[in-house]
Amino acid sequence: MKKKLLLLAGAAIFTGYAGFSQAKLIEKVVKKGNELVIPYEKYRLPNGLTVIVHEDHSDPVVHLDVTYHVGSAREEIGKSGFAHFFEHMMFQGSDNVADEQHFKIVTESGGTLNGTTNQDRTNYFQTVPSNQLEKMLWLEADRMGFLLDAVTQQKFEVQRGTVKNERGQRVDNVPYGLVSEVIAQNFYPYGHPYSWLTIGYVEDLDRVNVNDLKNFFLRWYGPNNAVLTIGGDVTPAEALRLVQKYFGSIPRGPEVKNMDKMVPTLEKHRFASYTDNYARFPLFLQVYPTVPNYHPDQAALACLAQVLGQGNNSVLYQQLVKKQLALQAGASSGLSELSGQFMFQVVPFPGKSLASMFHLLNNALDSFEVRGVTDEDIAKFKGGYESQLINGLQSVSGKVSQLAAFETFAGNPNMLGELLKRYQAVTKEDVMRVYNKYIKYKHSLNVSALPKGQEKFIVGENNYTVNKDGYRAPDYGYDNLKYVKAKDNFDRSKIPANGPNPVVKVPAYWKKDWPNGIKIIGAENTEIPTVTLSISIPGGSFMEANDLSKAGLVSLGTTMMNEDTKNYTSEEISRQLQTLGSSVSVYNSNDKIVFQVQSQVKNLDATLKLLEERMFRPKFNQDDFDRNKKQVLESFKMSKSQPAAIADDVFAKINYGKNHILGTSSNGTEASVSAITLADIQNFYDNALTSKGVEVVVVGDIKEADVLPKLAFLNNLPAKDIVVPTLAKAPAVEKTKIYLVDVPKSAQTEFRVGYVTDLKYDATGEYYKAGLMNYVLGGAFNSRLNLNLREDKAWTYGARSGFSGGKQTGDFEFSAGIKAEATDSAMIELMKEIKGYVNGGITDEELTFMKNAIGQRDALRYETGFQKAGFIGNILNYNLPGDYVEQQNKIINNITKAEIDALAKKWLTPDKFNVLLVGDKAKILPGLQKLGYEIIELDSDGNPVQKKGF
């Protein structure tokens, strides 16, 4: 129920706050009963800025989002990628915020931040302890009203390079990365706002200049084209007082109108194809035009996508994947502000042509028409959607993001309940109606993504040519723009002080030990009516450590535990779970087998019955085994097409050796998985379950006394000893060497640099302190490595380093994707930074930054149920004292420069690092040979290409 308050023009909302009387309350929404609603108050300032405030004092956290109604859809032909490029520029300082200080200020405040751009909007957001709200508003207002004088040609060039690297990392250097670009070019007519990707074209990025950037800011970044949404531990009165102070004087920008809807019309089946340098398997996509977002058919299209191609009950899974005709097959409905797409995608098994997939897809749709839509289809769709909405309300950031999007695109922040009504009202007839309206007998775009040498597998010859005739560019309104700054009665150059420190409470928890060896820990969380439950049994991939001949057995075994049981098929379990809005999954880590459950409280009993079925009554049949085994074997080939995956796999082999369990993928190898039989799966299960050492973590809207009886079925676990093997010691690194894997024509070089340490996980010892030491080297955006390689040199989209550790081992690793041409230079800079840190130590300013950043982030650590589960699960897993966070805070407060410097000298060993570079040998080897390191060439399996090497 929405209570809406409208005010007469000129009416004052608040009195008693200087400069506050001009903010107009548009509406106020309150929650009544058990309705699904996000309460808020909505205001508008005279300059057009829309302000939404959601008050929630459950955690001492505030999330702030500024959404500008501008994305790549408002770009000009020939200047693609500019909206996203501009997003990067917004972090480069303004009149009162120095270069590289935006990230530093937020991070030092204990917060997190980012920005994102899509076709239709750009948003900037921060989550911070609630005493930092004023500072965040000051930051956002400064770049909204005071950006352009701080823009320099140098900053412009650096961020242009960074965006190019982002494109290389996410589009040009990954399998199927260009698929979306091919779809956009061939699906939409020339000049359509969606006919290019948000990331843009490299040649367009090279074409734009600083003046283009300034005009873009002046045209689209006015307060009247923005929605400022604040949620969390704040009152509307205080929020509006601060918003009026920092944003109220910013001049209104040019008028911005909503764009007309532009759904394309396909006059015939279109065919397009391209050769993918990184793909190992061909990919077929079929795309149909549908409707824009919030259209009345939105829910029915989403249900159609689920019935046709999502989950193991879907038509495509049953017709193509389960019959082993396709490796993957799915369907999706994606709606944006101006148009929508319904998409099918199919990856065939090796040797199958994409043309055959075209016909198999048509046959599957024919079978769907005979099958129709069932009552079960509708029930599980509605149950899943309700659960999805509820889970999205766990965090204040989730609620704020919803409010901001609803206001930006629907003009109504209170769309949550409306959408739920629409989705709950979907009928079988609705789903068949949209199938007939948008899919059956309709023209589609058919795209073939083809690996090298497999061009013969094409679906159809390219038959579409982009027609530029008749296109007339719209008037974007760039003429006569003027930069007018706000005039204030206060000094904006002064960074606002922190508010009073919020009281951060570590989640209260309870513990229970059962006589059979099961340990249970739980925390009550009443914010939303859900329960998260995990059951961890000792075991995992480490059980294979002493015999790698069938490595991957545990992984394949847990995968098989998600299949049929003795009483239900996997499809029947999936239908029940989706109808309940629940999930039950089985997977393994290095040293555990984990059963993970999520459920609404009202459906917990029924969900736990299905968990019990999965745990105690799996039915391992040959067909499921053959299909899953075949998919694992094909996944090895697929991973060999991804430079980042190659780097991770080979680096593990270099660090630990091929005969070490940590030098072997948890999925095994092609040889070891080929050797696994169905009998091995049954033997794995027969020896996998025990009650001894089992750890159960429960978080949710349920009390200890209510949940413990529901877990009584765990008493059926056998009380037997399962001993996780002690791992062999990793080989020592005698000197720094470069290992090189050749990926021809790779746009970037994947760096993996580091070594295996003796630092096992601890919460308050040297491992924890080493993490503090690394923070300013490579653990934060403003770390030395990231500032050098990304912000100063523009060679990478991101660079990072860190220590990781478990109960038996640990390592230090630097990783980044570096522009290929800068590989040798980046290697020099990397070693310079690490050696400089070892020899010169941390600065006083860096020490203060680290203490503030880590010391103040506790407010963000316990907000959601998953976060609470992680916290108390850590206590149980590592037998930590309940006050370990308090002990950590004491360490942070008291650690000295001398201690940090000593840790750097002890644990950073640049003369004894393994260095792995995965990239284009022809481009990078000549430069690397000048650096003086021994270079050993490996193949993508980690085998020496030459006789020398390890």
Side-chain angles (χ1 to χ4, degrees):
M1 175 68 68
K2 179 170 75 173
K3 180 181 178 184
K4 193 169 185 178
L5 304 178
L6 299 178
L7 284 96
L8 297 175
I13 303 309
F14 293 96
T15 59
Y17 293 93
F20 207 172
S21 61
Q22 292 183 340
K24 299 300 186 295
L25 176 61
I26 306 300
E27 61 183 357
K28 179 175 181 177
V29 171
V30 296
K31 182 176 182 179
K32 292 189 176 182
N34 293 322
E35 67 178 340
L36 191 63
V37 67
I38 307 172
Y40 66 88
E41 295 181 15
K42 173 180 170 181
Y43 301 85
R44 189 158 292 126
L45 302 188
N47 60 9
L49 179 66
T50 300
V51 183
I52 301 169
V53 184
H54 162 66
E55 186 174 2
D56 177 3
H57 300 290
S58 57
D59 295 283
V61 171
V62 167
H63 184 83
L64 183 152
D65 176 289
V66 182
T67 296
Y68 294 89
H69 197 173
V70 56
S72 57
R74 297 198 191 264
E75 294 167 348
E76 301 174 77
I77 290 284
K79 295 181 180 179
S80 65
F82 205 81
H84 173 250
F85 181 13
F86 190 80
E87 175 212 316
H88 280 248
M89 291 301 301
M90 284 282 277
F91 290 96
Q92 298 310 302
S94 46
D95 278 3
N96 302 297
V97 181
D99 185 23
E100 300 170 353
Q101 289 303 296
H102 197 110
F103 270 92
K104 184 175 182 182
I105 289 171
V106 178
T107 305
E108 194 168 16
S109 298
T112 62
L113 74 160
N114 212 332
T116 67
T117 309
N118 65 22
Q119 296 164 314
D120 305 311
R121 63 96 187 106
T122 306
N123 70 335
Y124 305 87
F125 49 90
Q126 300 92 30
T127 307
V128 293
S130 53
N131 67 324
Q132 304 290 333
L133 174 61
E134 182 172 5
K135 194 181 298 180
M136 299 305 109
L137 290 170
W138 169 78
L139 278 171
E140 288 292 357
D142 209 64
R143 60 181 173 184
M144 178 186 283
F146 302 87
L147 181 80
L148 292 190
D149 287 345
V151 172
T152 66
Q153 187 69 35
Q154 181 182 4
K155 292 180 185 179
F156 182 85
E157 295 300 341
V158 167
Q159 292 310 310
R160 173 155 45 193
T162 300
V163 172
K164 289 182 184 179
N165 283 308
E166 181 177 358
R167 180 185 164 99
Q169 183 171 317
R170 295 184 170 183
V171 177
D172 298 328
N173 213 37
V174 294
Y176 314 122
L178 292 170
V179 160
S180 295
E181 192 164 87
V182 173
I183 291 174
Q185 292 167 346
N186 291 276
F187 189 73
Y188 297 103
Y190 182 78
H192 189 288
Y194 292 171
S195 61
W196 55 85
L197 296 190
T198 299
I199 194 71
Y201 301 109
V202 170
E203 56 268 28
D204 285 356
L205 291 169
D206 286 335
R207 185 180 295 120
V208 297
N209 58 48
V210 171
N211 289 329
D212 292 319
L213 179 141
K214 292 182 177 181
N215 281 331
F216 194 88
F217 171 79
L218 293 173
R219 178 65 186 93
W220 305 112
Y221 271 73
N224 51 302
N225 195 35
V227 176
L228 168 59
T229 310
I230 304 166
D233 187 21
V234 63
T235 64
E238 176 63 9
L240 262 293
R241 182 183 71 82
L242 295 172
V243 169
Q244 181 72 22
K245 175 180 179 180
Y246 291 107
F247 290 86
S249 60
I250 298 174
R252 188 183 187 92
E255 182 182 5
V256 179
K257 295 181 180 179
N258 288 339
M259 302 176 72
D260 293 333
K261 309 305 180 187
M262 292 183 249
V263 178
T265 299
L266 276 59
E267 70 289 345
K268 62 180 180 180
H269 277 347
R270 294 181 186 174
F271 293 89
S273 65
Y274 79 100
T275 301
D276 194 307
N277 290 326
Y278 296 98
R280 293 293 179 98
F281 301 97
L283 169 67
F284 168 55
L285 299 106
Q286 189 173 79
V287 191
Y288 294 84
T290 57
V291 295
N293 209 0
Y294 303 128
H295 187 279
D297 287 340
Q298 174 180 357
L301 283 165
C303 186
L304 177 65
Q306 185 178 97
V307 173
L308 288 177
Q310 297 173 9
N312 61 4
N313 280 288
S314 70
V315 172
L316 295 185
Y317 183 89
Q318 291 294 317
Q319 294 292 322
L320 301 182
V321 178
K322 190 155 189 174
K323 294 179 180 179
Q324 299 189 47
L325 299 172
L327 189 61
Q328 298 174 9
S332 61
S333 173
L335 309 185
S336 299
E337 184 179 16
L338 308 182
S339 183
Q341 296 178 344
F342 195 97
M343 183 184 300
F344 297 100
Q345 53 186 18
V346 184
V347 177
F349 272 110
K352 303 281 186 181
S353 72
L354 292 186
S356 69
M357 295 300 105
F358 181 90
H359 294 295
L360 286 172
L361 175 58
N362 284 338
N363 292 340
L365 294 181
D366 289 340
S367 72
F368 163 69
E369 293 181 27
V370 175
R371 169 195 183 275
V373 181
T374 67
D375 291 331
E376 282 186 331
D377 291 333
I378 298 297
K380 72 176 186 177
F381 173 72
K382 293 178 179 180
Y385 184 74
E386 180 185 24
S387 180
Q388 175 186 330
L389 280 186
I390 292 173
N391 287 326
L393 303 180
Q394 288 195 59
S395 67
V396 67
S397 63
K399 289 179 278 191
V400 165
S401 298
Q402 287 276 35
L403 291 170
F406 289 152
E407 172 62 26
T408 300
F409 299 120
N412 175 17
N414 195 37
M415 285 288 291
L416 196 69
E418 175 63 27
L419 282 181
L420 181 60
K421 288 178 184 177
R422 293 184 190 180
Y423 277 70
Q424 295 292 1
V426 169
T427 66
K428 295 183 290 184
E429 292 74 19
D430 289 330
V431 179
M432 290 307 301
R433 176 181 55 78
V434 297
Y435 170 75
N436 289 321
K437 184 175 182 180
Y438 301 108
I439 309 299
K440 186 175 181 180
Y441 301 140
K442 305 304 179 192
H443 295 303
S444 62
L445 169 66
N446 299 271
V447 176
S448 305
L450 302 158
K452 288 181 182 178
Q454 297 188 35
E455 287 79 6
K456 64 182 180 181
F457 290 140
I458 193 170
V459 170
E461 294 299 324
N462 298 353
N463 68 346
Y464 176 71
T465 302
V466 176
N467 183 8
K468 301 180 182 180
D469 294 341
Y471 173 74
R472 293 184 62 184
D475 180 4
Y476 291 95
Y478 284 110
D479 294 336
N480 303 315
L481 297 174
K482 294 182 180 180
Y483 183 33
V484 180
K485 292 187 185 181
K487 295 181 180 179
D488 300 303
N489 57 5
F490 68 97
D491 185 358
R492 281 190 187 262
S493 66
K494 294 182 179 178
I495 301 178
N498 300 341
N501 288 334
V503 177
V504 181
K505 295 181 179 179
V506 171
Y509 61 89
W510 51 265
K511 295 175 75 172
K512 187 74 174 180
D513 292 349
W514 284 358
N516 60 357
I518 295 176
K519 296 180 181 295
I520 308 174
I521 190 168
E524 190 175 356
N525 181 33
T526 60
E527 291 182 40
I528 58 174
T530 63
V531 174
T532 298
L533 169 73
S534 69
I535 301 166
S536 301
I537 298 176
S541 297
F542 283 175
M543 299 300 292
E544 302 163 352
N546 296 328
D547 181 7
L548 298 180
S549 63
K550 293 187 178 180
L553 172 61
V554 174
S555 176
L556 185 54
T558 54
T559 297
M560 288 292 294
M561 291 180 72
N562 290 289
E563 294 287 350
D564 293 354
T565 68
K566 292 177 179 176
N567 294 315
Y568 302 102
T569 65
S570 61
E571 290 86 351
E572 288 170 334
I573 289 181
S574 293
R575 279 198 296 269
Q576 291 188 49
L577 288 171
Q578 285 184 293
T579 302
L580 295 168
S582 303
S583 64
V584 174
S585 59
V586 191
Y587 62 91
N588 68 282
S589 64
N590 282 338
D591 56 2
K592 298 180 188 303
I593 295 170
V594 182
F595 295 82
Q596 187 78 38
V597 176
Q598 187 166 17
S599 171
Q600 294 183 56
V601 175
K602 65 181 181 181
N603 296 326
L604 182 59
D605 288 343
T607 303
L608 290 180
K609 287 292 184 184
L610 295 171
L611 167 65
E612 185 177 358
E613 184 73 19
R614 282 232 182 277
M615 182 177 287
F616 291 109
R617 289 179 284 279
K619 178 184 177 182
F620 303 122
N621 64 62
Q622 191 69 46
D623 287 345
D624 288 340
F625 173 73
D626 291 343
R627 172 171 41 82
N628 281 287
K629 179 177 176 178
K630 193 171 184 179
Q631 288 177 333
V632 172
L633 290 171
E634 297 302 335
S635 74
F636 293 136
K637 298 176 184 176
M638 192 173 292
S639 67
K640 290 294 186 290
S641 66
Q642 304 173 41
I646 294 171
D648 291 337
D649 182 57
V650 175
F651 194 56
K653 290 178 170 62
I654 294 170
N655 276 336
Y656 290 96
K658 282 189 160 186
N659 295 321
H660 196 287
I661 186 62
L662 286 174
T664 304
S665 166
S666 61
N667 292 323
T669 65
E670 196 166 344
S672 67
V673 172
S674 297
I676 297 172
T677 66
L678 184 61
D680 292 325
I681 299 293
Q682 185 66 57
N683 185 60
F684 150 76
Y685 172 77
D686 292 341
N687 292 282
L689 299 187
T690 181
S691 64
K692 292 186 177 181
V694 168
E695 298 172 354
V696 181
V697 179
V698 186
V699 173
D701 190 11
I702 192 166
K703 297 183 181 300
E704 175 185 0
D706 294 326
V707 75
L708 287 178
K710 299 179 188 297
L711 300 176
F713 68 91
L714 294 178
N715 285 310
N716 295 324
L717 288 168
K720 61 185 178 185
D721 293 323
I722 292 181
V723 180
V724 177
T726 300
L727 302 185
K729 192 174 179 63
V733 182
E734 298 178 359
K735 68 173 183 177
T736 296
K737 301 176 184 177
I738 293 177
Y739 298 88
L740 176 62
V741 177
D742 183 24
V743 179
K745 296 186 179 180
S746 182
Q748 292 185 311
T749 302
E750 287 290 336
F751 274 58
R752 300 293 184 271
V753 180
Y755 73 112
V756 178
T757 74
D758 294 325
L759 281 173
K760 303 170 186 176
Y761 174 86
D762 64 59
T764 55
E766 194 149 332
Y767 171 82
Y768 176 72
K769 293 176 183 177
L772 301 181
M773 175 270 290
N774 173 74
Y775 191 75
V776 300
L777 174 66
F781 184 89
N782 282 72
S783 67
R784 294 188 183 190
L785 291 171
N786 195 59
L787 288 184
N788 185 333
L789 298 175
R790 170 178 161 142
E791 295 299 289
D792 295 343
K793 306 295 194 308
W795 291 339
T796 181
Y797 181 54
R800 64 210 63 83
S801 66
F803 291 88
S804 61
K807 291 182 178 179
Q808 295 203 46
T809 186
D811 60 51
F812 171 80
E813 181 179 317
F814 165 84
S815 62
I818 302 289
K819 183 170 67 173
E821 293 79 5
T823 300
D824 54 342
S825 300
M827 184 67 190
I828 293 171
E829 293 298 317
L830 169 64
M831 289 303 185
K832 183 187 78 174
E833 290 291 355
I834 295 177
K835 290 177 181 178
Y837 194 48
V838 170
N839 297 326
I842 195 171
T843 67
D844 291 335
E845 181 183 359
E846 287 173 329
L847 182 62
T848 300
F849 168 69
M850 180 273 290
K851 289 187 174 187
N852 289 338
I854 298 179
Q856 295 186 85
R857 68 185 182 187
D858 278 356
L860 279 62
R861 292 174 68 178
Y862 317 118
E863 184 185 8
T864 69
F866 289 110
Q867 287 176 309
K868 290 180 172 69
F871 167 73
I872 63 174
N874 215 34
I875 289 176
L876 200 61
N877 189 25
Y878 289 100
N879 194 29
L880 302 178
D883 66 344
Y884 84 87
V885 172
E886 183 179 336
Q887 293 182 39
Q888 288 180 338
N889 288 332
K890 289 180 180 178
I891 292 171
I892 294 168
N893 292 333
N894 296 324
I895 199 164
T896 64
K897 171 178 165 52
E899 289 179 274
I900 293 290
D901 292 350
L903 288 165
K905 290 182 181 296
K906 182 175 181 181
W907 295 110
L908 298 177
T909 58
D911 294 330
K912 295 183 179 181
F913 278 163
N914 288 321
V915 178
L916 172 64
L917 305 177
V918 179
D920 187 344
K921 173 184 171 182
K923 287 182 185 176
I924 67 179
L925 182 58
L928 294 174
Q929 289 173 328
K930 299 176 183 178
L931 301 184
Y933 296 101
E934 179 183 353
I935 299 175
I936 301 172
E937 295 184 45
L938 307 175
D939 62 21
S940 60
D941 290 315
N943 299 311
V945 173
Q946 300 172 347
K947 292 184 179 180
K948 63 181 180 179
F950 75 103

